[in-house]
Amino acid sequence: MNPSTTHGPVLLVFPPELPITKLQQSVVTAIPYRPGNPMSKLIASKLKILGTLQILFGMMHFSFGVIMLFTFVEPYPRFPLIFLSGYPFWSSILFINSGAFLIALKKKHTDTLMMMSRIMNSLSSLGAIAGVVLLSFSFLLDQHYLCGFSDQLMHCHAVTTLLIGIFIMLMAFTIIELFIALFFSIFGGQ
């Protein structure tokens, strides 16, 4: 053997009648069986929107609580009942947390996160039911008592109109939050 050709490259030549086949990889994809429940498909596609709405309603509740804090001025004898119960503040914590869990559930779907989200939405729905009751009592009790013994009728009507408007907005947000939280806590895990 010639020492110059022993370390040279080796070329293989195949005859034309032999086809060269490439190694083919087969990829098996499987889709898990899920029943065709349209409610679960709707929930899965709208988790981020529903969570954002819950966070927005929680921030609005907190903002209305802060506005009520600044309505306690000289001629008014007391805060409204809804403010004394602390509902604008503890409901905002519940609503923001349940919305944050829904958004997190959209990003990463785990069983623990699903359970925590259902628990928070159940607590939010209980808080919303308590809020509807508290807002109804507050509207009935504070409707005529807000002005106290003020002789400034125009100033009294302005603050009363403001607080009744806040009560109405809180009631609307609470009812919508109740429907969102109940919807997810009942149908969310299916």
Side-chain angles (χ1 to χ4, degrees):
M1 263 187 144
N2 187 357
S4 66
T5 60
T6 57
H7 298 297
V10 177
L11 297 173
L12 294 175
V13 178
F14 292 105
E17 61 269 354
L18 265 174
I20 301 174
T21 59
K22 292 184 180 179
L23 181 62
Q24 296 180 355
Q25 294 179 359
S26 61
V27 178
V28 177
T29 58
I31 299 172
Y33 173 74
R34 291 189 181 153
N37 187 356
M39 200 67 71
S40 63
K41 290 179 184 177
L42 176 71
I43 290 173
S45 66
K46 304 298 181 196
L47 282 179
K48 197 170 186 178
I49 295 171
L50 294 175
T52 305
L53 277 175
Q54 285 182 320
I55 291 172
L56 178 68
F57 290 155
M59 290 179 3
M60 292 299 290
H61 273 72
F62 185 79
S63 300
F64 285 140
V66 170
I67 290 172
M68 279 191 249
L69 178 66
F70 292 112
T71 59
F72 188 64
V73 291
E74 180 63 33
Y76 305 105
R78 64 179 175 86
F79 284 115
L81 173 70
I82 195 68
F83 183 80
L84 293 176
S85 70
Y87 174 71
F89 304 110
W90 57 262
S91 67
S92 66
I93 292 171
L94 283 175
F95 299 162
I96 289 172
N97 281 335
S98 61
F101 274 111
L102 281 182
I103 291 174
L105 187 64
K106 173 70 176 174
K107 291 183 179 184
K108 185 175 182 182
H109 194 77
T110 62
D111 290 336
T112 306
L113 200 54
M114 172 68 85
M115 182 183 66
M116 291 301 295
S117 182
R118 287 188 77 183
I119 289 171
M120 280 308 300
N121 276 292
S122 298
L123 289 174
S124 288
S125 62
L126 290 175
I129 290 170
V132 168
V133 171
L134 285 171
L135 282 165
S136 299
F137 281 131
S138 183
F139 182 74
L140 293 175
L141 292 176
D142 295 331
Q143 185 174 351
H144 301 293
Y145 188 65
L146 291 174
C147 291
F149 304 102
S150 174
D151 55 352
Q152 301 172 352
L153 192 60
M154 186 170 183
H155 189 254
C156 175
H157 284 304
V159 172
T160 303
T161 303
L162 172 74
L163 288 176
I164 288 176
I166 289 174
F167 290 160
I168 291 170
M169 291 303 295
L170 282 174
M171 183 67 87
F173 291 153
T174 301
I175 290 172
I176 295 170
E177 173 65 31
L178 175 64
F179 287 138
I180 292 172
L182 273 178
F183 182 75
F184 186 75
S185 63
I186 291 172
F187 296 113
Q190 299 174 353

